[in-house]
Amino acid sequence: MGEPEPVDLIHLADADANSNGDGNGNGNGNGNRCIVRVTGRDQPGVLTGHDTLRAEVLVSTGFLDARLELYLFQRDLSAWEEELERLVPRGNAGLGGGRGLELGIQLNDDASVGVTINDPDRLSTFFWIRPQDDWIQDHRARLDRVRQAWPSEVVETAPMTYEWSPRRKK
């Protein structure tokens, strides 16, 4: 059994850009877009790195096309879930946990989303996206798909002591 196909944990795009291109939100370059695509486990089968997920942050705006690397821990997914649940206008949510690249979103009163990307080694940028109205609900479903594809299979039994979960798929 091979590695699951990549899953978009975050897919924010201008609503009008979603109607262009191939019908899967992959427009022809119109509008702003920010995607966090989980591509797999960082170190599959290695106890200390198995649950760490590799991801690509893909950004496309009128002034920028970038592909950046992000590593996600299971606690990052839990924090993202909590922040999505609490997100209200003028509220913020983020991903990255202060370990390098950080992605932040701010929900505005007019339903637009301000996106901040800060990669200390490469770039910092801010741009606006006007996503579909149901984007938060969609992102809850995306999180579920990531967790189904790469479930947590390692437990920390004591500080810095790990073992395989009894639920681990062999």
Side-chain angles (χ1 to χ4, degrees):
M1 186 164 106
E3 185 81 9
E5 292 292 318
V7 176
D8 289 355
L9 174 64
I10 296 175
H11 192 120
L12 291 170
D14 284 328
D16 59 347
N18 283 328
S19 63
N20 298 321
D22 65 9
N24 293 318
N26 298 319
N28 60 5
N30 296 337
N32 294 336
R33 180 173 292 113
C34 180
I35 298 169
V36 175
R37 181 165 294 148
V38 179
T39 58
R41 295 187 185 276
D42 182 42
Q43 298 175 354
V46 176
L47 193 60
T48 55
H50 184 79
D51 275 357
T52 303
L53 301 177
R54 288 184 327 262
E56 301 172 327
V57 178
L58 308 168
V59 180
S60 179
T61 70
F63 60 89
L64 175 69
D65 276 314
R67 174 186 228 132
L68 305 165
E69 202 170 68
L70 176 66
Y71 291 89
L72 298 169
F73 297 127
Q74 295 297 319
R75 68 178 174 263
D76 295 326
L77 300 179
S78 296
W80 176 244
E81 178 179 35
E82 291 171 14
E83 291 181 13
L84 277 178
E85 290 297 322
R86 294 191 315 257
L87 192 58
V88 296
R90 297 188 199 169
N92 298 297
L95 198 58
R99 299 178 314 274
L101 186 142
E102 291 187 44
L103 182 138
I105 61 171
Q106 176 185 352
L107 181 59
N108 300 302
D109 289 327
D110 66 356
S112 66
V113 175
V115 178
T116 304
I117 297 176
N118 182 24
D119 184 339
D121 296 331
R122 291 181 253 181
L123 89 111
S124 291
T125 190
F126 176 83
F127 55 95
W128 297 101
I129 294 177
R130 290 197 172 276
Q132 301 283 349
D133 291 339
D134 64 347
W135 75 268
I136 292 177
Q137 182 179 18
D138 174 59
H139 280 74
R140 289 182 189 124
R142 290 176 181 284
L143 175 60
D144 288 343
R145 287 193 294 275
V146 167
R147 285 180 165 158
Q148 288 171 2
W150 299 284
S152 177
E153 296 181 337
V154 176
V155 292
E156 188 171 5
T157 57
M160 303 297 289
T161 305
Y162 304 94
E163 64 183 46
W164 295 110
S165 167
R167 299 179 313 233
R168 180 175 186 230
K169 297 176 186 177
K170 306 257 180 194

